[in-house]
Amino acid sequence: MTDYQNILDSIYKELLTREDKGEVANYIPELAKVDKTKLGIYLNNIHGKNYSVGDAKIKFSIQSISKVFTLAMAFANQGNKLWSRVDVEPSGNPFNYLALLEQEEGIPRNPLINSGAIVVADCLLSTYENPKAELLNFVRNLANDDSIDFNPQVAASEMKTGFTNFAIANLLKSFGNLENPVEDVLDFYFHQCSLEMTCEQLSNAFFPFANKGVCMQNNDCLTATQAKRINAIMLTCGFYDEAGEFAFEVGLPGKSGVGGGIVALLPDNFIITTWSPGLNEKGNSYLGMLALEKFTTATKASIF
Ligand code: DON
C-alpha cells in the first residue's frame, strides 16, 4: 500500500528548504500582503481517508479555482446551451489575454480563462435572484462546511484595480455576450474569486469531480457526465498557457488560482490540494506545481 503520509511529509520537508518560492501576485493589492513561506498539502480519497501536511488548514484566497464551481452551477442549470456562449478549447494564452476575444468575436475560448468565467458569471446573474448567496450555498454544500465565505476586502481591491477584467467585460458586452450590466457581472466575479478556503475544504469540495458527481455526504451534486466534462476542461484549460506543462509534469486534471492554490484529482481515486502563495511567471503556484510533480512521480498516480 502507498504510504501517502510519508510521501507528503518528505515532499513538504524538501520544498521548505527551497530558496526560490516564486513571487506573490501583486496586481491584486490585497494578495500582495500574503506570507509566501506558507506551504500546505491535503489529500483525501473517495473512500474517506485523508492526509495533511503544513498549512493545509489555513484559509487563503481561492481566486480562479472558483471558476470550476461557477462552471459546475451554470452547466447544471443551462446544460449544453452554455457552449453557445463559451467554447471548450485550450487558449495557449495568459488567463487575462484580451486580443483573442476580439478576434473570435466575443466567444471566450473556455470557461476557465477570465473572459469565459465572466460569461459564466453573467449566466448565473440571469438565472438567480441572489447569485452570491446561491454560490455560497453551492460551495458550502459541496464542502459540507458553512464557515466558507467571501473576503469583501479582496473583492473591493479587485473592483478598484481590475482594469483588464473591465476591458474584457466591456468587450464581451460590445459583442452581445453579456446580458447583465458590466459592473454587476464583475461585482459577482470578483466576489467568487475572493472566496477563502483551506486546502482541506477545497479537497472536500472537489470530491464529486473525483467521484462521478457524488459528494462526500453521498448526495448527487453533479451528474457523472458533468463531472467528466468539467474534468476534461480542467485538464486542457485549468492552467492557461501552462496547461500542457501541467499535464506533462503532473498528469492530472486540476485548477490553479493566483492566491497560490492548486487542486488536482485522479478520477475514482483522490483529490490533492496544495497551497504556496509564490507564483511562477505564468501565474501558477511555483512550489505547488513542484509538489504535485513529485507526488505523481513518487506514487505513479496519474491519468496517463
Ligand atoms: O481575475 C483575476 O485576475 C483574478 N481574480 C483571478 C486570476 C487567477 O486566479 C488566475 N489564476 N491563475
Side-chain angles (χ1 to χ4, degrees):
M1 268 251 310
T2 312
D3 187 345
Y4 287 115
Q5 191 60 50
N6 191 32
I7 292 171
L8 294 184
D9 287 341
S10 70
I11 293 172
Y12 178 75
K13 245 199 249 144
E14 189 198 330
L15 292 188
L16 271 191
T17 64
R18 296 272 175 139
E19 284 280 310
D20 184 1
K21 298 184 193 306
E23 294 306 323
V24 174
N26 55 13
Y27 77 101
I28 303 174
E30 278 298 306
L31 292 188
K33 302 175 184 164
V34 177
D35 172 8
K36 79 172 176 185
T37 64
K38 293 274 186 269
L39 176 61
I41 312 177
Y42 189 92
L43 173 88
N44 53 338
N45 71 19
I46 61 165
H47 306 296
K49 286 231 164 19
N50 58 72
Y51 310 87
S52 143
V53 68
D55 302 310
K57 296 183 183 177
I58 296 180
K59 289 197 180 192
F60 61 89
S61 193
I62 73 165
Q63 292 296 321
S64 285
I65 298 171
S66 66
K67 293 168 180 170
V68 178
F69 299 136
T70 52
L71 171 61
M73 287 175 79
F75 190 22
N77 60 49
Q78 307 257 312
N80 287 331
K81 227 172 55 190
L82 182 64
W83 313 124
S84 64
R85 294 184 57 190
V86 54
D87 210 342
V88 293
E89 292 299 334
S91 73
N93 286 310
F95 58 84
N96 55 4
Y97 192 69
L98 202 60
L100 195 68
L101 188 61
E102 183 171 32
Q103 222 172 293
E104 297 184 350
E105 306 196 337
I107 303 296
R109 270 289 170 103
N110 67 68
L112 299 183
I113 51 174
N114 289 10
S115 53
I118 291 170
V119 167
V120 168
D122 183 58
C123 290
L124 298 180
L125 255 69
S126 297
T127 305
Y128 298 111
E129 189 95 13
N130 190 343
K132 285 183 201 162
E134 293 287 342
L135 173 61
L136 271 186
N137 276 343
F138 182 74
V139 177
R140 286 172 176 175
N141 181 48
L142 284 181
N144 198 19
D145 191 330
D146 283 344
S147 75
I148 295 165
D149 221 328
F150 302 119
N151 179 328
Q153 280 89 32
V154 172
S157 178
E158 277 215 89
M159 200 71 182
K160 252 198 243 148
T161 58
F163 303 110
T164 310
N165 285 321
F166 272 94
I168 290 171
N170 277 295
L171 201 54
L172 287 167
K173 187 85 182 163
S174 77
F175 279 111
N177 200 7
L178 275 198
E179 292 170 356
N180 297 281
V182 164
E183 288 71 22
D184 296 356
V185 179
L186 287 180
D187 175 61
F188 176 81
Y189 171 75
F190 292 142
H191 273 84
Q192 73 170 73
C193 290
S194 82
L195 277 171
E196 292 187 329
M197 293 170 75
T198 67
C199 292
E200 178 180 14
Q201 290 169 332
L202 275 167
S203 270
N204 289 339
F206 272 67
F207 195 95
F209 297 100
N211 193 38
K212 301 215 159 32
V214 180
C215 298
M216 239 174 14
Q217 313 92 286
N218 221 11
N219 304 329
D220 292 339
C221 292
L222 309 167
T223 66
T225 304
Q226 284 159 355
K228 178 183 83 173
R229 301 219 190 286
I230 294 174
N231 285 338
I233 296 173
M234 283 197 263
L235 180 76
T236 52
C237 313
F239 298 84
Y240 318 110
D241 45 340
E242 207 167 30
E245 182 75 18
F246 192 84
F248 180 77
E249 302 275 355
V250 179
L252 297 173
K255 184 73 202 87
S256 63
V258 291
I262 300 180
V263 187
L265 61 101
L266 183 61
D268 305 321
N269 203 323
F270 63 77
I271 308 100
I272 182 167
T273 304
T274 61
W275 175 47
S276 171
L279 309 178
N280 65 20
E281 66 291 347
K282 304 275 169 110
N284 297 314
S285 171
Y286 176 63
L287 293 185
M289 271 185 72
L290 258 178
L292 292 168
E293 186 278 319
K294 289 179 183 303
F295 176 79
T296 55
T297 302
T299 56
K300 302 187 182 68
S302 104
I303 62 168
F304 298 112

